[in-house]
Amino acid sequence: MADASVTWAKLRRQRALLLGLVFGTLAAVLVARALDPTHWFRGDLGRVDLGRVYVTGTCSYSRVAVDMLAADPGAPWVALPLDVKTPEFDAPVCHAALTRMQAAGAWWLAVIPESEACRRLQQWAGERYAKETPAQGFPAWVGDDGSFRGFGVDPGQIAALGLTPTPKIVAFWIEGGYDRALVESLGFTVPEGVEQGLPIRSPQAIPEPHAR
């Protein structure tokens, strides 16, 4: 009887140790997934149906894209700032991105320190940008399925994405030379008092390919 009692005690200890290892491994896997920005968009921890637009603080058109998304919180897009050492731009854009993803389903972002989440997000964004876009253009739009959707913030691009420009952006187009009739044909309303700028004559710059 004494030997049997000792054996059962050992088995209980071994079972407890085994369960501890199993739960520890499972916890480590879940933590790793929670810290991987890939799963902030989609994955086993939830589903966040948001497209992404890669932006930089050194690009004026990126700032236009950020302003447009800020004015349309229901748009299915989130701006991701690449790390080009522009903290005054990166910090609020990253904060907005994390807030939007958390509201869309990535609830676990609430327990990750924002500084760490932003660092991981920018690192991930830099890697994905090079893989998901054909060249070094900004802003670069990528759908929630990973498909490249184009560069820039010209009227045709914004209409194709189903976004709503602010009156300031529409005025920026017209005064910058986009034809008023073209802009209105896309369903955008031109604010009163906006004057037509000189026609755009120079072709749009072609982004340089990524270094491979």
Side-chain angles (χ1 to χ4, degrees):
M1 289 292 291
D3 290 342
S5 298
V6 171
T7 299
W8 279 111
K10 287 182 178 180
L11 287 175
R12 284 196 296 269
R13 287 196 297 270
Q14 290 173 352
R15 184 175 62 178
L17 178 60
L18 181 59
L19 288 174
L21 290 174
V22 170
F23 284 118
T25 301
L26 179 60
V29 170
L30 290 176
V31 168
R33 285 181 176 274
L35 292 175
D36 181 355
T38 299
H39 299 285
W40 302 355
F41 288 92
R42 59 181 179 270
D44 297 339
L45 295 175
R47 177 76 188 187
V48 182
D49 293 311
L50 290 174
R52 46 194 173 272
V53 54
Y54 297 106
V55 297
T56 69
T58 57
C59 170
S60 60
Y61 293 142
S62 288
R63 294 175 181 269
V64 170
V66 169
D67 290 344
M68 183 163 47
L69 293 181
D72 186 9
W77 298 89
V78 61
L80 303 183
L82 270 63
D83 187 4
V84 294
K85 311 306 179 187
T86 52
E88 75 289 345
F89 173 82
D90 298 349
V93 174
C94 184
H95 174 78
L98 295 174
T99 300
R100 183 69 197 284
M101 286 188 285
Q102 184 180 338
W107 50 266
W108 56 92
L109 288 174
V111 300
I112 302 175
E114 185 167 303
S115 59
E116 177 63 14
C118 284
R119 184 189 69 78
R120 289 178 177 272
L121 183 60
Q122 285 194 294
Q123 181 180 9
W124 182 87
E127 296 169 354
R128 299 303 301 178
Y129 169 72
K131 295 178 180 179
E132 295 179 337
T133 64
Q136 301 178 54
F138 294 100
W141 304 85
V142 174
D144 67 322
D145 60 352
S147 61
F148 176 64
R149 301 287 297 276
F151 292 117
V153 290
D154 64 82
Q157 174 69 34
I158 297 307
L161 295 172
L163 293 171
T164 302
T166 64
K168 182 179 179 181
I169 292 172
V170 176
F172 167 77
W173 287 335
I174 303 300
E175 293 170 350
Y178 283 99
D179 183 67
R180 183 189 189 103
L182 168 65
V183 173
E184 290 180 334
S185 72
L186 294 172
F188 303 134
T189 301
V190 179
E192 294 185 8
V194 175
E195 296 185 2
Q196 177 68 58
L198 295 175
I200 299 175
R201 299 187 182 281
S202 58
Q204 291 186 339
I206 299 176
E208 292 290 331
H210 293 297
R212 300 297 185 186

